[in-house]
Amino acid sequence: MSSVSCPICLQPVLEENINKHLDSSCNTYLTSSQRLGESSFQPQNTESKKLAPIFSQTRDKHPSILAGRLSTSTLTTQDTFTASKKRKSQMPSAFRMSSKRSKVMPSNSTSAVPLAERLRPQCLEDFFGQKHLTGPDSLLMNMLNNGIIGSLIFWGPPGCGKTTLARLLAQRVDCNFKELSATSSGMNDVRAVFEEAKASLALTGRGTILFLDEVHRFNKTQQDIFLPFIEKGQIQMIGATTENPSFKLTGALLSRCRVLVLERLTDNDIRDIIFGAVERVLVSAPREETSEGATTSTPVGTEPSTSQKFLSQSESSHASTSCDRSSLPYPQLTDHIMASIVSLSTGDARTALSLLELALAAKPDMDEHVLLTSLRRSVSASYDRTGDSHYDTNSALHKSIRGNHGSAAMYWLARMLTAGEDPLYIARRLVVCASEDIGLADRHALPLAMAALQACQVIGMPECRINLAHCVAYLSEAPKCTRAYEAYNRAEEAAKLDMTAPVPVAVRNAPTALMKELGYSEGYSYNPSFLHPVHNDYLPITFRGDTFLKEVGDLSDKVWDEQELLLWEREDNGGRPWEGRSSAQHRH
C-alpha cells in the first residue's frame, strides 16, 4: 500500500488511513517505520505531536524547551525521510518567536498606517465640513433618511472628505458596499462587481453601492459600461473625482448621476480636525500586556509608535481630553505651530493630519523655527499644470490686470512661476489680455506684450521672470478699453444668425472681365479719390443700420451700480469718493 505525506504534520501515512490520521490530530496511524523511529529516539511520555507552525494557535511559555523538543523531532525525520529535510528544518525558527513578540506585531502593523487613515470618522456626526451636504435640512440627508441616495458624483479638491463621506453614507443604507479605485482596478473588476450586484438584487433584494474613487481616470468608452446598470438600479454608484466632471465624464453618465460639489475645508474645519485628532490620539493609544501581566505601551525590542509615546507622556499630566494646547503633553505643539499646520494644509484634511503626525514625531525640545521650516518644506505646491488650478490661477492673473490691481497681478504671476508654470504660456496669455482688456486705450500694450513673449523665447527662466513682471505691471496700470473685443462678439453673434447672407455687389471683388460684366464692384466709391466722405453699402441688407463697433465714449451698454461703487470707494479708495462720479453720472 502506498503512503502519502500528511499536509499538516508532514509525516508519511498510508493512503487508506489519511482521514483517520487527520481525525486523530496527527497522533496515530503513522507508518510502522516512522513509529519505530520515534520510539528509538523520543523519551517516554512525550507530548503529542505539534501541528505545523501555520496551524498552531498556542504559544509555549518556555521557548527554549520547545525548541529542544522540536530539534529532536527534526533529527528523527531527517534520518527516516530525507525528502522533507528542508521543510522540517524551517519549523523551529517559526516556533522560536516569543509571546511578547507575537503580541506586538498587530500593533506595529497598525502604527504603520498613516494618521489620516487611522482617524477617519466612523459616523456622520464626527464628519467635519460640507454642511451644505451633511446638514439636517440638506437634500442629501433627506434622501438618506428615506433609505436611498441614488448615484452621485462627488467633485472636490483632495482631502475634503469625498471618500470618507461615501463610506459613511453607505453605512446608513441597507445595501452591500463595494469599493474600487480607477487607479488600480480594471474593467474586469468592475464587471465582477456588476454581476455580483445583479445576483444579490435577484436573490436577496439588497442593492449594491459601488464607490469608485478617481472615476475620471476611466476613459469615455469605459464609462459607458456603467450606464445600463445605473439606469436599471442594479447598482448605486458614488464616484469621486478631483477633476471637473463637465470635461472628464461623459454627458450620458452625468445625466444619470447627481453631481455634488465638496468645497475646500475652511480654516475652522481644519482646526477642529487637528485638535480632535490630538484628543483621539491621547485617549485611544493602544496598550499591550506582557506575558507576566504587566502593562506597557512600548513593545520590547521595538520603537514606540507616535500614539504610544503621546500617551505615555500624557498619563501623569493629562487628566482630561480637552483640546486646549496648554494641556497637551508635547511642548513643540505651540500656538504658532498649530496655526501654521492649519495654514499649510490649505483646506486639505489629509495634509493637515500628515503635518500633525510629523510634529508629534519631533523631539520635544526641537526649536520652533526649525520645526516650522521642516513642516513647510514637506508640503508641495498644490499646482497642477493640466488641472483646474492651472486655469483658475491664470484667470486670477487676468482678472487682476483687468481690475488695475497690480499687486494682485504680480502675486499670481509669482505664484504660477514658482509652481513651475511655463513662462511662454503666461506670455501668450498676456498678449491676449493686451488686446482684450487694454485694446484701443493704449496702442503700446500689444507691442510690449509681444516683446515680452519674444524675450521669454530667447532668454528663458529664471531671467525672463523680469520681462513678465515688466509686462504685467504695465498692463495693470494701463487704461482699459474693450471696444474691439465687444465689437467682435456682437459681429460674431450676427454672423451666426445667417451664414448665407450675400456680399453686397458694390463691395465684391472683380478681377476678371466676366465679373465686371456681371456687375461686381459696380457702384463702389473709392474713398481716397474724394475730398469728402462717401457712402457705400458695406453690410448685407439684413444688417444694414446695425452698429457693432461702438463710438468712443459710447456708454449706452454700461451699467451704473451704486452699491458696487460704494464698496470700491470704501475698500480700494480709502473711503474717498471716486473723482469721476459726477461726470459719469451726468453722461449716464
Side-chain angles (χ1 to χ4, degrees), residues 298-541:
T298 305
V300 177
T302 60
E303 288 294 327
S305 66
T306 298
S307 301
Q308 293 165 345
K309 290 192 296 185
F310 206 154
L311 181 62
S312 63
Q313 294 186 25
S314 65
E315 286 176 341
S316 59
S317 61
H318 189 75
S320 64
T321 59
S322 173
C323 290
D324 185 14
R325 190 196 65 80
S326 60
S327 64
L328 296 181
Y330 271 164
Q332 68 267 35
L333 290 181
T334 63
D335 290 334
H336 191 196
I337 293 296
M338 299 296 277
S340 298
I341 291 176
V342 173
S343 177
L344 290 172
S345 64
T346 61
D348 187 333
R350 188 180 294 107
T351 299
L353 291 173
S354 299
L355 292 173
L356 177 62
E357 191 169 19
L358 291 177
L360 293 178
K363 295 180 180 180
D365 58 348
M366 189 174 186
D367 182 72
E368 181 182 77
H369 177 72
V370 175
L371 176 58
L372 184 57
T373 302
S374 300
L375 293 178
R376 286 174 176 169
R377 289 178 177 175
S378 68
V379 179
S380 61
S382 58
Y383 184 85
D384 183 2
R385 290 175 58 179
T386 62
D388 285 344
S389 60
H390 165 81
Y391 300 102
D392 291 343
T393 311
N394 173 72
S395 177
L397 171 63
H398 195 149
K399 289 180 171 64
S400 298
I401 294 175
R402 180 183 298 151
N404 294 91
H405 203 303
S407 298
M410 203 63 67
Y411 168 79
W412 292 117
L413 171 65
R415 175 89 167 261
M416 296 172 75
L417 291 176
T418 304
E421 183 58 83
D422 183 6
L424 291 177
Y425 169 80
I426 301 176
R428 288 193 294 268
R429 299 310 306 168
L430 294 179
V431 172
V432 174
C433 182
S435 290
E436 178 181 343
D437 294 294
I438 289 84
L440 301 174
D442 189 337
R443 60 185 180 182
H444 300 297
L446 182 57
L448 179 65
M450 288 299 299
L453 174 61
Q454 186 178 8
C456 290
Q457 292 172 334
V458 174
I459 299 176
M461 284 292 286
E463 287 83 0
C464 72
R465 75 187 191 282
I466 305 172
N467 306 112
L468 292 174
H470 176 189
C471 184
V472 166
Y474 185 91
L475 297 182
S476 298
E477 296 180 352
K480 305 299 187 291
C481 176
T482 58
R483 287 174 56 221
Y485 175 68
E486 294 175 353
Y488 177 79
N489 290 338
R490 285 189 286 265
E492 182 181 41
E493 184 178 352
K496 290 179 179 179
L497 292 177
D498 186 2
M499 296 293 292
T500 61
V503 178
V505 175
V507 294
R508 293 182 184 181
N509 186 30
T512 65
L514 176 61
M515 290 181 175
K516 291 180 179 178
E517 293 177 0
L518 294 176
Y520 284 24
S521 191
E522 184 177 346
Y524 172 68
S525 299
Y526 185 64
N527 302 72
S529 299
F530 296 90
L531 293 172
H532 51 79
V534 294
H535 170 75
N536 287 304
D537 291 328
Y538 299 106
L539 284 171
I541 190 172

Side-chain angles (χ1 to χ4, degrees), residues 128-130 156-162 262-271 273 340-353 355 379 382:
F128 288 97
Q130 317 303 337
C160 66
K162 300 184 294 295
L262 280 73
E263 305 292 344
R264 190 177 297 276
L265 296 176
T266 65
D267 287 351
N268 289 334
D269 292 333
I270 296 295
R271 190 175 295 108
I273 288 173
S340 298
I341 291 176
V342 173
S343 177
L344 290 172
S345 64
T346 61
D348 187 333
R350 188 180 294 107
T351 299
L353 291 173
L355 292 173
V379 179
S382 58

Side-chain angles (χ1 to χ4, degrees), residues 24-67:
S24 67
S25 300
C26 300
N27 290 325
T28 59
Y29 294 99
L30 297 173
T31 60
S32 58
S33 60
Q34 176 61 16
R35 287 197 295 270
L36 290 174
E38 288 180 352
S39 61
S40 61
F41 279 91
Q42 291 186 342
Q44 295 291 331
N45 301 325
T46 56
E47 296 182 4
S48 298
K49 181 68 179 178
K50 292 288 185 179
L51 300 182
I54 60 172
F55 296 97
S56 178
Q57 301 296 327
T58 61
R59 302 297 183 192
D60 199 304
K61 294 185 178 181
H62 305 284
S64 61
I65 298 176
L66 178 59

